Coordinates of all heavy atoms in Angstrom, one line a residue:
H217 N -12.0 -1.0 -16.8 CA -10.9 0.0 -16.7 C -9.6 -0.8 -16.9 O -8.6 -0.7 -16.1 CB -10.9 0.7 -15.4 CG -12.1 1.5 -15.2 ND1 -13.3 0.9 -14.6 CD2 -12.5 2.7 -15.5 CE1 -14.2 1.8 -14.5 NE2 -13.8 2.9 -15.0
D218 N -9.5 -1.5 -18.0 CA -8.3 -2.4 -18.3 C -7.0 -1.6 -18.5 O -5.9 -2.2 -18.5 CB -8.5 -3.3 -19.4 CG -8.8 -2.6 -20.7 OD1 -8.9 -1.4 -20.8 OD2 -9.0 -3.3 -21.7
Y219 N -7.1 -0.3 -18.6 CA -5.9 0.5 -18.7 C -5.2 0.7 -17.4 O -4.0 1.1 -17.3 CB -6.2 1.9 -19.3 CG -7.3 2.6 -18.6 CD1 -7.1 3.4 -17.5 CD2 -8.6 2.5 -19.0 CE1 -8.1 4.0 -16.8 CE2 -9.7 3.1 -18.4 CZ -9.4 3.9 -17.3 OH -10.4 4.5 -16.6
L220 N -5.9 0.4 -16.3 CA -5.3 0.5 -15.0 C -4.4 -0.7 -14.8 O -4.8 -1.8 -15.0 CB -6.3 0.5 -13.9 CG -7.1 1.8 -13.7 CD1 -8.2 1.6 -12.6 CD2 -6.1 2.9 -13.2
K221 N -3.2 -0.5 -14.4 CA -2.3 -1.6 -14.1 C -2.5 -2.1 -12.7 O -2.4 -1.3 -11.7 CB -0.8 -1.2 -14.3 CG -0.4 -0.9 -15.7 CD 1.0 -0.7 -15.8 CE 1.4 -0.5 -17.2 NZ 2.9 -0.3 -17.4
I222 N -2.8 -3.3 -12.6 CA -3.2 -3.9 -11.2 C -2.0 -3.7 -10.3 O -2.2 -3.4 -9.1 CB -3.6 -5.3 -11.4 CG1 -5.0 -5.3 -12.0 CG2 -3.7 -6.0 -10.0 CD1 -5.6 -6.7 -12.3
S223 N -0.8 -3.9 -10.8 CA 0.4 -3.8 -9.9 C 0.5 -2.4 -9.4 O 0.9 -2.2 -8.2 CB 1.7 -4.2 -10.7 OG 1.8 -3.4 -11.8
S224 N 0.2 -1.4 -10.2 CA 0.3 0.0 -9.7 C -0.8 0.3 -8.6 O -0.5 0.9 -7.6 CB 0.1 1.0 -10.8 OG 1.1 0.9 -11.8
V225 N -2.0 -0.2 -8.9 CA -3.1 0.0 -7.9 C -2.7 -0.8 -6.6 O -2.9 -0.2 -5.5 CB -4.4 -0.5 -8.4 CG1 -5.5 -0.5 -7.4 CG2 -4.8 0.3 -9.7
A226 N -2.2 -2.0 -6.7 CA -1.8 -2.7 -5.5 C -0.7 -2.0 -4.7 O -0.8 -1.9 -3.5 CB -1.3 -4.1 -6.0
T227 N 0.3 -1.4 -5.4 CA 1.3 -0.7 -4.7 C 0.7 0.5 -3.9 O 1.0 0.7 -2.8 CB 2.4 -0.2 -5.7 OG1 3.0 -1.3 -6.3 CG2 3.4 0.6 -5.0
Q228 N -0.2 1.2 -4.6 CA -0.8 2.4 -3.9 C -1.7 1.9 -2.7 O -1.8 2.6 -1.8 CB -1.8 3.1 -4.9 CG -1.1 3.9 -6.0 CD -0.6 5.2 -5.4 OE1 -1.0 5.7 -4.3 NE2 0.3 5.9 -6.1
A229 N -2.3 0.7 -2.9 CA -3.1 0.2 -1.8 C -2.4 -0.5 -0.7 O -2.9 -0.9 0.3 CB -4.2 -0.7 -2.4
G230 N -1.1 -0.7 -0.9 CA -0.3 -1.5 0.1 C -0.6 -3.0 0.0 O -0.5 -3.6 1.1
L231 N -1.0 -3.5 -1.1 CA -1.3 -4.9 -1.3 C -0.3 -5.6 -2.2 O 0.3 -5.0 -3.0 CB -2.7 -5.1 -1.8 CG -3.9 -4.5 -1.0 CD1 -5.2 -4.6 -1.8 CD2 -4.0 -5.2 0.3
N232 N -0.3 -6.9 -2.1 CA 0.5 -7.7 -2.9 C -0.1 -7.7 -4.3 O -1.3 -8.1 -4.4 CB 0.6 -9.1 -2.4 CG 1.5 -10.0 -3.2 OD1 1.3 -10.2 -4.4 ND2 2.5 -10.6 -2.6
P233 N 0.6 -7.4 -5.4 CA 0.0 -7.4 -6.7 C -0.7 -8.8 -7.1 O -1.7 -8.8 -7.7 CB 1.1 -7.1 -7.7 CG 2.1 -6.3 -6.8 CD 2.0 -6.9 -5.4
A234 N -0.1 -9.9 -6.7 CA -0.6 -11.2 -7.0 C -2.0 -11.4 -6.4 O -2.9 -11.9 -7.0 CB 0.3 -12.3 -6.6
L235 N -2.1 -10.9 -5.1 CA -3.4 -11.0 -4.4 C -4.4 -10.1 -5.1 O -5.6 -10.6 -5.3 CB -3.2 -10.5 -3.0 CG -4.5 -10.5 -2.1 CD1 -5.0 -12.0 -2.0 CD2 -4.1 -10.0 -0.7
L236 N -4.1 -8.9 -5.5 CA -5.1 -8.1 -6.2 C -5.5 -8.7 -7.6 O -6.6 -8.6 -8.0 CB -4.5 -6.6 -6.4 CG -5.5 -5.6 -7.0 CD1 -6.8 -5.6 -6.2 CD2 -4.9 -4.2 -7.0
R237 N -4.5 -9.3 -8.2 CA -4.9 -10.0 -9.5 C -5.9 -11.2 -9.2 O -6.8 -11.4 -10.0 CB -3.7 -10.6 -10.1 CG -2.9 -9.6 -10.9 CD -1.7 -10.2 -11.7 NE -0.8 -9.2 -12.1 CZ 0.2 -8.7 -11.4 NH1 0.5 -9.2 -10.2 NH2 1.0 -7.8 -11.9
Q238 N -5.7 -11.8 -8.1 CA -6.7 -12.9 -7.7 C -8.1 -12.3 -7.4 O -9.1 -12.8 -7.8 CB -6.2 -13.7 -6.5 CG -5.0 -14.5 -6.8 CD -4.4 -15.2 -5.6 OE1 -4.6 -14.7 -4.5 NE2 -3.7 -16.3 -5.8
Y239 N -8.1 -11.1 -6.8 CA -9.4 -10.4 -6.5 C -10.0 -10.0 -7.9 O -11.2 -10.2 -8.1 CB -9.2 -9.1 -5.7 CG -8.7 -9.3 -4.3 CD1 -8.1 -8.3 -3.6 CD2 -9.0 -10.5 -3.6 CE1 -7.7 -8.4 -2.3 CE2 -8.6 -10.7 -2.3 CZ -8.0 -9.6 -1.6 OH -7.6 -9.8 -0.3
A240 N -9.2 -9.5 -8.7 CA -9.7 -9.0 -10.0 C -10.2 -10.1 -10.9 O -11.1 -9.9 -11.8 CB -8.6 -8.2 -10.7
S241 N -9.6 -11.3 -10.8 CA -10.1 -12.4 -11.6 C -11.2 -13.2 -11.0 O -11.7 -14.1 -11.6 CB -8.9 -13.3 -11.9 OG -8.4 -13.9 -10.8
G242 N -11.5 -12.9 -9.7 CA -12.6 -13.6 -9.0 C -12.1 -14.9 -8.4 O -12.9 -15.7 -7.9
V243 N -10.8 -15.2 -8.4 CA -10.3 -16.4 -7.7 C -10.5 -16.2 -6.2 O -10.8 -17.2 -5.5 CB -8.8 -16.6 -8.0 CG1 -8.2 -17.7 -7.2 CG2 -8.7 -16.9 -9.5
K244 N -10.2 -15.0 -5.7 CA -10.4 -14.7 -4.3 C -11.3 -13.5 -4.2 O -11.4 -12.7 -5.1 CB -9.1 -14.5 -3.6 CG -8.2 -15.7 -3.4 CD -7.1 -15.4 -2.5 CE -6.3 -16.7 -2.2 NZ -5.1 -16.4 -1.3
Y245 N -11.9 -13.3 -3.0 CA -12.7 -12.1 -2.8 C -12.2 -11.3 -1.6 O -11.9 -11.9 -0.5 CB -14.2 -12.6 -2.5 CG -14.7 -13.3 -3.7 CD1 -14.7 -14.7 -3.7 CD2 -15.3 -12.6 -4.8 CE1 -15.2 -15.4 -4.8 CE2 -15.7 -13.3 -5.9 CZ -15.7 -14.7 -5.9 OH -16.1 -15.3 -7.0
P246 N -12.1 -10.0 -1.8 CA -11.5 -9.2 -0.7 C -12.5 -8.9 0.5 O -13.7 -8.9 0.3 CB -11.2 -7.9 -1.4 CG -12.2 -7.8 -2.5 CD -12.5 -9.2 -2.9
S247 N -11.9 -8.7 1.6 CA -12.7 -8.3 2.8 C -13.1 -6.8 2.6 O -12.6 -6.2 1.7 CB -11.8 -8.4 4.0 OG -10.7 -7.5 4.0
L248 N -13.9 -6.4 3.5 CA -14.3 -5.0 3.4 C -13.1 -4.1 3.6 O -12.9 -3.1 2.9 CB -15.3 -4.7 4.5 CG -15.8 -3.2 4.6 CD1 -16.5 -2.8 3.2 CD2 -16.8 -3.1 5.7
E249 N -12.2 -4.4 4.5 CA -11.0 -3.7 4.7 C -10.1 -3.6 3.5 O -9.6 -2.5 3.1 CB -10.2 -4.3 5.9 CG -8.9 -3.5 6.2 CD -8.1 -4.1 7.3 OE1 -8.6 -5.0 8.0 OE2 -6.9 -3.7 7.5
Q250 N -9.9 -4.7 2.8 CA -9.1 -4.8 1.6 C -9.8 -4.0 0.5 O -9.2 -3.2 -0.3 CB -8.9 -6.2 1.1 CG -8.1 -7.1 2.1 CD -6.7 -6.7 2.2 OE1 -6.3 -5.6 2.6 NE2 -5.8 -7.6 1.7
T251 N -11.1 -4.1 0.4 CA -11.9 -3.3 -0.6 C -11.7 -1.9 -0.4 O -11.5 -1.1 -1.4 CB -13.4 -3.7 -0.6 OG1 -13.5 -5.1 -0.8 CG2 -14.2 -3.0 -1.6
N252 N -11.8 -1.4 0.8 CA -11.6 0.0 1.1 C -10.2 0.5 0.8 O -10.0 1.6 0.2 CB -11.9 0.3 2.6 CG -13.4 0.3 2.9 OD1 -14.2 0.5 2.0 ND2 -13.7 0.0 4.1
K253 N -9.2 -0.4 1.0 CA -7.8 0.0 0.5 C -7.7 0.2 -1.0 O -7.1 1.1 -1.5 CB -6.8 -1.1 1.0 CG -6.5 -1.1 2.4 CD -5.5 -2.2 2.7 CE -5.2 -2.4 4.2 NZ -4.2 -3.5 4.5
I254 N -8.4 -0.7 -1.7 CA -8.3 -0.7 -3.2 C -9.1 0.6 -3.6 O -8.6 1.3 -4.5 CB -9.0 -1.9 -3.8 CG1 -8.1 -3.1 -3.4 CG2 -9.1 -1.8 -5.3 CD1 -8.8 -4.5 -3.6
R255 N -10.3 0.8 -3.1 CA -11.1 2.0 -3.4 C -10.3 3.3 -3.2 O -10.3 4.2 -4.0 CB -12.4 2.0 -2.6 CG -13.3 3.2 -2.9 CD -14.5 3.3 -2.1 NE -15.3 2.1 -2.2 CZ -15.6 1.2 -1.2 NH1 -15.1 1.5 0.0 NH2 -16.4 0.2 -1.3
N256 N -9.7 3.4 -2.0 CA -8.9 4.6 -1.7 C -7.7 4.8 -2.6 O -7.4 5.9 -3.0 CB -8.4 4.5 -0.2 CG -9.6 4.7 0.7 OD1 -10.6 5.3 0.4 ND2 -9.4 4.2 1.9
A257 N -7.1 3.7 -3.0 CA -5.9 3.8 -4.0 C -6.4 4.3 -5.3 O -5.8 5.1 -5.9 CB -5.3 2.4 -4.1
I258 N -7.6 3.8 -5.8 CA -8.1 4.2 -7.1 C -8.5 5.7 -7.0 O -8.2 6.4 -7.9 CB -9.3 3.3 -7.5 CG1 -8.7 1.9 -7.8 CG2 -10.0 3.9 -8.7 CD1 -9.8 0.8 -8.0
K259 N -9.1 6.1 -5.9 CA -9.5 7.5 -5.8 C -8.2 8.4 -5.7 O -8.2 9.5 -6.3 CB -10.3 7.7 -4.5 CG -11.7 7.2 -4.6 CD -12.5 7.5 -3.3 CE -13.9 7.1 -3.4 NZ -14.7 7.4 -2.3
K260 N -7.2 7.9 -5.1 CA -5.9 8.7 -5.1 C -5.3 8.8 -6.5 O -4.9 9.9 -6.9 CB -4.9 8.0 -4.1 CG -3.6 8.8 -4.0 CD -2.6 8.1 -3.1 CE -1.3 8.9 -3.0 NZ -0.3 8.2 -2.3
I261 N -5.3 7.7 -7.2 CA -4.8 7.8 -8.6 C -5.7 8.7 -9.4 O -5.1 9.5 -10.2 CB -4.8 6.4 -9.2 CG1 -3.7 5.5 -8.5 CG2 -4.6 6.4 -10.7 CD1 -3.9 4.0 -8.8
A262 N -7.0 8.6 -9.3 CA -7.9 9.5 -10.0 C -7.6 11.0 -9.7 O -7.6 11.9 -10.6 CB -9.3 9.2 -9.8
K263 N -7.4 11.3 -8.4 CA -7.2 12.7 -8.0 C -5.9 13.2 -8.6 O -5.8 14.3 -9.1 CB -7.1 12.7 -6.5 CG -6.9 14.1 -5.9 CD -6.9 14.1 -4.4 CE -6.9 15.5 -3.8 NZ -5.9 16.4 -4.2
E264 N -4.8 12.3 -8.6 CA -3.6 12.7 -9.2 C -3.7 13.0 -10.7 O -3.2 14.0 -11.2 CB -2.5 11.6 -8.9 CG -2.1 11.5 -7.5 CD -1.2 10.3 -7.2 OE1 -0.9 9.6 -8.2 OE2 -0.8 10.1 -6.0

């Protein structure tokens, strides 16, 4: 889903965009809590 801007998803999730970029590139791995924030942000964007 490369059309999604990581910075927009990060803002919706309340995360630092640089951190989400690290998750997306596999440099770092999110905790379950962080994953749920990202999932909820993506669902909110999809609903909108």
Side-chain angles (χ1 to χ4, degrees):
H217 300 88
D218 60 358
Y219 52 87
L220 284 175
K221 291 186 177 184
I222 289 178
S223 58
S224 297
V225 175
T227 300
Q228 286 283 345
L231 299 174
N232 182 305
L235 179 61
L236 186 52
R237 282 188 194 87
Q238 291 175 335
Y239 293 158
S241 66
V243 172
K244 289 188 175 183
Y245 299 95
S247 66
L248 179 59
E249 181 182 347
Q250 297 289 67
T251 301
N252 285 334
K253 287 180 182 180
I254 297 164
R255 180 183 303 116
N256 290 337
I258 291 169
K259 285 182 177 182
K260 182 179 177 188
I261 292 168
K263 184 177 185 308
E264 289 172 3

